[in-house]
Amino acid sequence: MDAPPETASWSGGATAHSWPSAPGSRSRSDDLLPALEYLAPSGAFVSTDLGIGWNLVPLLAGAEAARTWQVGARLWPQFGRPSRFTPNGIDRLGPRVTTEAFANVQATPWLLLQSGLSWGSARHHDGQLLELGITSGLPVGDDLIAVTLAATAANGAHLRSSYGVGPGESLASGLPEWRPRAGMMDWSVALSGEHKFSERWSVSGQWLNARLVGDAARSPLTSSKSQQTFSLSLWHRF
Protein backbone atom coordinates (compact mmCIF):
# COMPACT_ATOMS: atom_id res chain seq x y z
CA MET A 1 0.00 0.00 0.00
CA ASP A 2 1.42 3.38 -1.03
CA ALA A 3 0.86 6.74 0.66
CA PRO A 4 -2.61 8.19 -0.13
CA PRO A 5 -2.69 10.36 -3.29
CA GLU A 6 -2.97 14.16 -3.12
CA THR A 7 -6.25 13.98 -5.05
CA ALA A 8 -8.83 11.20 -5.28
CA SER A 9 -7.86 8.49 -7.76
CA TRP A 10 -10.07 6.02 -9.68
CA SER A 11 -8.67 3.06 -11.62
CA GLY A 12 -10.26 0.10 -13.36
CA GLY A 13 -9.24 -2.86 -15.46
CA ALA A 14 -9.02 -6.63 -15.35
CA THR A 15 -7.09 -9.22 -13.32
CA ALA A 16 -6.03 -12.74 -14.28
CA HIS A 17 -5.91 -14.64 -11.00
CA SER A 18 -4.82 -18.16 -10.03
CA TRP A 19 -4.95 -19.56 -6.49
CA PRO A 20 -5.40 -22.85 -4.56
CA SER A 21 -9.00 -24.03 -4.75
CA ALA A 22 -9.10 -24.74 -1.00
CA PRO A 23 -6.73 -24.55 2.00
CA GLY A 24 -3.97 -27.11 1.47
CA SER A 25 -5.35 -28.12 -1.94
CA ARG A 26 -3.29 -29.18 -4.93
CA SER A 27 -6.16 -28.15 -7.25
CA ARG A 28 -6.18 -24.62 -8.63
CA SER A 29 -8.83 -22.08 -9.57
CA ASP A 30 -8.19 -19.68 -12.46
CA ASP A 31 -10.34 -16.65 -13.22
CA LEU A 32 -10.40 -13.41 -15.17
CA LEU A 33 -11.95 -10.83 -12.85
CA PRO A 34 -12.73 -7.10 -13.00
CA ALA A 35 -10.27 -4.84 -11.18
CA LEU A 36 -11.28 -1.66 -9.34
CA GLU A 37 -9.45 0.76 -7.09
CA TYR A 38 -10.47 4.02 -5.42
CA LEU A 39 -7.92 5.87 -3.28
CA ALA A 40 -8.82 8.99 -1.28
CA PRO A 41 -6.44 11.62 0.16
CA SER A 42 -7.99 10.92 3.57
CA GLY A 43 -6.64 7.36 3.45
CA ALA A 44 -9.92 5.60 2.59
CA PHE A 45 -9.68 2.92 -0.10
CA VAL A 46 -11.86 0.48 -2.01
CA SER A 47 -9.85 -2.01 -4.04
CA THR A 48 -10.05 -5.53 -5.44
CA ASP A 49 -6.38 -5.86 -4.43
CA LEU A 50 -6.50 -4.22 -0.97
CA GLY A 51 -10.09 -4.71 0.22
CA ILE A 52 -12.23 -1.96 1.77
CA GLY A 53 -10.66 0.09 4.53
CA TRP A 54 -9.04 3.21 5.88
CA ASN A 55 -5.46 4.18 6.55
CA LEU A 56 -5.98 6.60 9.47
CA VAL A 57 -2.53 8.22 9.45
CA PRO A 58 -3.46 11.15 7.12
CA LEU A 59 -6.28 12.11 9.49
CA LEU A 60 -4.35 11.60 12.72
CA ALA A 61 -0.86 12.77 11.80
CA GLY A 62 -1.00 14.45 8.38
CA ALA A 63 0.01 13.65 4.82
CA GLU A 64 3.75 13.78 5.50
CA ALA A 65 3.55 11.10 8.21
CA ALA A 66 1.54 8.92 5.80
CA ARG A 67 4.67 8.57 3.67
CA THR A 68 6.26 6.60 6.55
CA TRP A 69 3.37 5.06 8.51
CA GLN A 70 0.20 3.12 7.65
CA VAL A 71 -2.20 2.32 10.49
CA GLY A 72 -5.83 1.40 10.03
CA ALA A 73 -8.31 -1.40 9.31
CA ARG A 74 -9.80 -3.14 6.30
CA LEU A 75 -12.35 -5.78 5.34
CA TRP A 76 -11.00 -8.73 3.36
CA PRO A 77 -12.75 -11.85 1.94
CA GLN A 78 -11.75 -15.47 2.50
CA PHE A 79 -13.24 -18.02 0.14
CA GLY A 80 -12.95 -21.23 2.18
CA ARG A 81 -13.46 -24.69 0.67
CA PRO A 82 -16.19 -24.95 -2.02
CA SER A 83 -18.35 -28.09 -2.06
CA ARG A 84 -16.73 -29.47 -5.24
CA PHE A 85 -13.31 -29.44 -3.52
CA THR A 86 -14.54 -30.82 -0.19
CA PRO A 87 -13.95 -34.55 0.45
CA ASN A 88 -17.07 -36.62 1.08
CA GLY A 89 -17.98 -36.49 4.77
CA ILE A 90 -16.07 -33.25 5.47
CA ASP A 91 -18.10 -30.15 6.31
CA ARG A 92 -18.01 -27.41 3.69
CA LEU A 93 -16.19 -24.19 4.64
CA GLY A 94 -18.07 -21.23 3.18
CA PRO A 95 -16.79 -17.76 2.28
CA ARG A 96 -16.30 -15.22 5.05
CA VAL A 97 -15.41 -11.55 5.42
CA THR A 98 -12.61 -10.88 7.91
CA THR A 99 -11.58 -7.63 9.59
CA GLU A 100 -7.90 -6.78 9.70
CA ALA A 101 -6.09 -4.13 11.75
CA PHE A 102 -2.79 -3.24 10.07
CA ALA A 103 0.31 -1.25 11.00
CA ASN A 104 3.20 -0.76 8.56
CA VAL A 105 6.29 1.44 8.81
CA GLN A 106 8.93 2.43 6.27
CA ALA A 107 11.85 1.76 8.63
CA THR A 108 14.51 2.76 6.07
CA PRO A 109 14.32 3.86 2.42
CA TRP A 110 14.78 0.20 1.44
CA LEU A 111 12.93 -1.68 4.19
CA LEU A 112 9.18 -1.80 4.95
CA LEU A 113 7.98 -3.58 8.11
CA GLN A 114 4.40 -4.92 7.95
CA SER A 115 1.93 -6.40 10.42
CA GLY A 116 -1.72 -7.41 10.34
CA LEU A 117 -4.08 -8.92 12.93
CA SER A 118 -7.35 -10.26 11.51
CA TRP A 119 -10.42 -11.84 13.04
CA GLY A 120 -13.70 -13.27 11.75
CA SER A 121 -12.41 -16.33 9.89
CA ALA A 122 -13.36 -19.94 10.80
CA ARG A 123 -16.82 -21.48 10.52
CA HIS A 124 -18.13 -19.64 13.57
CA HIS A 125 -16.30 -16.37 12.76
CA ASP A 126 -13.96 -16.91 15.74
CA GLY A 127 -10.76 -17.44 13.76
CA GLN A 128 -7.79 -15.11 14.20
CA LEU A 129 -4.62 -14.61 12.14
CA LEU A 130 -1.42 -12.69 12.84
CA GLU A 131 0.87 -11.89 9.90
CA LEU A 132 4.30 -10.25 10.11
CA GLY A 133 6.39 -9.35 7.07
CA ILE A 134 9.35 -7.41 5.71
CA THR A 135 9.58 -5.97 2.20
CA SER A 136 12.52 -4.65 0.23
CA GLY A 137 13.02 -3.90 -3.46
CA LEU A 138 15.12 -4.93 -6.43
CA PRO A 139 15.56 -2.34 -9.21
CA VAL A 140 14.80 -3.64 -12.71
CA GLY A 141 15.42 -0.83 -15.19
CA ASP A 142 13.11 2.04 -14.23
CA ASP A 143 10.85 -0.29 -12.21
CA LEU A 144 11.12 -1.88 -8.78
CA ILE A 145 10.34 -5.50 -7.88
CA ALA A 146 9.21 -5.76 -4.26
CA VAL A 147 10.38 -8.86 -2.36
CA THR A 148 8.37 -9.78 0.75
CA LEU A 149 9.11 -12.40 3.39
CA ALA A 150 6.25 -13.11 5.80
CA ALA A 151 4.98 -15.57 8.39
CA THR A 152 1.43 -16.27 9.57
CA ALA A 153 0.21 -17.66 12.89
CA ALA A 154 -3.40 -18.72 13.53
CA ASN A 155 -5.56 -19.62 16.50
CA GLY A 156 -7.05 -23.07 16.93
CA ALA A 157 -10.48 -22.08 15.60
CA HIS A 158 -9.07 -20.98 12.25
CA LEU A 159 -6.83 -24.03 11.87
CA ARG A 160 -9.58 -26.46 12.84
CA SER A 161 -11.95 -24.93 10.28
CA SER A 162 -9.42 -25.00 7.43
CA TYR A 163 -7.39 -28.12 8.24
CA GLY A 164 -9.18 -30.04 10.99
CA VAL A 165 -11.14 -33.30 10.83
CA GLY A 166 -13.69 -33.70 13.63
CA PRO A 167 -14.89 -37.03 15.09
CA GLY A 168 -18.09 -37.05 13.01
CA GLU A 169 -16.22 -36.02 9.87
CA SER A 170 -13.69 -38.79 10.47
CA LEU A 171 -16.42 -41.43 10.68
CA ALA A 172 -18.16 -40.09 7.55
CA SER A 173 -15.03 -39.59 5.43
CA GLY A 174 -12.69 -42.35 6.59
CA LEU A 175 -9.95 -39.76 7.23
CA PRO A 176 -8.15 -39.79 10.57
CA GLU A 177 -9.36 -37.32 13.18
CA TRP A 178 -7.22 -34.17 13.26
CA ARG A 179 -7.49 -31.31 15.75
CA PRO A 180 -4.90 -28.61 14.98
CA ARG A 181 -3.59 -26.44 17.78
CA ALA A 182 -2.88 -22.71 17.66
CA GLY A 183 0.53 -21.87 16.23
CA MET A 184 2.44 -21.14 13.04
CA MET A 185 0.45 -21.81 9.87
CA ASP A 186 2.81 -20.79 7.06
CA TRP A 187 5.74 -18.73 5.91
CA SER A 188 5.79 -17.10 2.49
CA VAL A 189 7.84 -15.27 -0.11
CA ALA A 190 6.25 -12.89 -2.61
CA LEU A 191 7.41 -10.90 -5.63
CA SER A 192 5.31 -7.97 -6.82
CA GLY A 193 5.76 -5.04 -9.14
CA GLU A 194 4.18 -2.46 -11.41
CA HIS A 195 5.12 -1.06 -14.82
CA LYS A 196 3.61 2.19 -16.14
CA PHE A 197 3.17 2.37 -19.91
CA SER A 198 1.92 5.95 -19.67
CA GLU A 199 0.33 8.36 -17.20
CA ARG A 200 -2.94 6.39 -17.34
CA TRP A 201 -2.04 2.81 -18.31
CA SER A 202 -0.10 0.34 -16.18
CA VAL A 203 0.28 -3.35 -15.42
CA SER A 204 0.90 -4.91 -12.01
CA GLY A 205 1.50 -8.46 -10.88
CA GLN A 206 2.30 -10.66 -7.91
CA TRP A 207 3.58 -14.19 -7.31
CA LEU A 208 3.28 -15.57 -3.78
CA ASN A 209 4.39 -18.95 -2.47
CA ALA A 210 3.19 -19.84 1.03
CA ARG A 211 4.66 -22.96 2.65
CA LEU A 212 2.36 -24.64 5.17
CA VAL A 213 4.03 -25.69 8.43
CA GLY A 214 3.04 -27.34 11.71
CA ASP A 215 -0.40 -28.88 12.12
CA ALA A 216 -1.65 -27.29 8.88
CA ALA A 217 1.06 -29.09 6.87
CA ARG A 218 0.35 -32.44 8.57
CA SER A 219 -3.43 -32.30 8.11
CA PRO A 220 -5.13 -35.20 6.27
CA LEU A 221 -6.84 -32.50 4.17
CA THR A 222 -3.51 -31.07 2.95
CA SER A 223 -2.42 -32.48 -0.40
CA SER A 224 0.17 -29.77 -1.12
CA LYS A 225 2.26 -27.88 1.44
CA SER A 226 3.15 -25.30 -1.23
CA GLN A 227 0.31 -22.82 -1.80
CA GLN A 228 1.04 -20.53 -4.75
CA THR A 229 -0.98 -17.53 -5.88
CA PHE A 230 -0.51 -15.54 -9.11
CA SER A 231 -2.15 -12.35 -10.31
CA LEU A 232 -1.64 -10.04 -13.29
CA SER A 233 -3.68 -6.84 -13.63
CA LEU A 234 -4.06 -4.29 -16.43
CA TRP A 235 -5.06 -0.84 -15.09
CA HIS A 236 -6.45 2.37 -16.53
CA ARG A 237 -6.50 5.44 -14.29
CA PHE A 238 -9.51 7.69 -15.00
Side-chain angles (χ1 to χ4, degrees), residues 22-25 80-81 85-93 96 122-124 154-182 185 212-223:
S25 174
R81 179 181 288 108
F85 297 110
T86 301
N88 292 332
I90 300 296
D91 295 338
R92 175 181 176 271
L93 179 61
R96 295 134 292 149
R123 285 191 177 90
H124 303 293
N155 72 344
H158 178 90
L159 289 172
R160 287 192 296 272
S161 291
S162 296
Y163 301 99
V165 180
E169 293 174 309
S170 178
L171 288 173
S173 67
L175 295 173
E177 187 175 342
W178 190 252
R179 186 176 176 84
R181 299 161 296 177
M185 185 175 73
L212 296 177
V213 298
D215 285 355
R218 294 189 291 268
S219 168
L221 297 176
T222 295
S223 57

Side-chain angles (χ1 to χ4, degrees), residues 2-9 38-45 54-60 62-64 66:
D2 296 324
E6 295 182 3
T7 60
S9 171
Y38 168 73
L39 305 175
S42 64
F45 56 87
W54 206 309
N55 173 15
L56 297 173
V57 173
L59 295 179
L60 299 177
E64 189 61 32

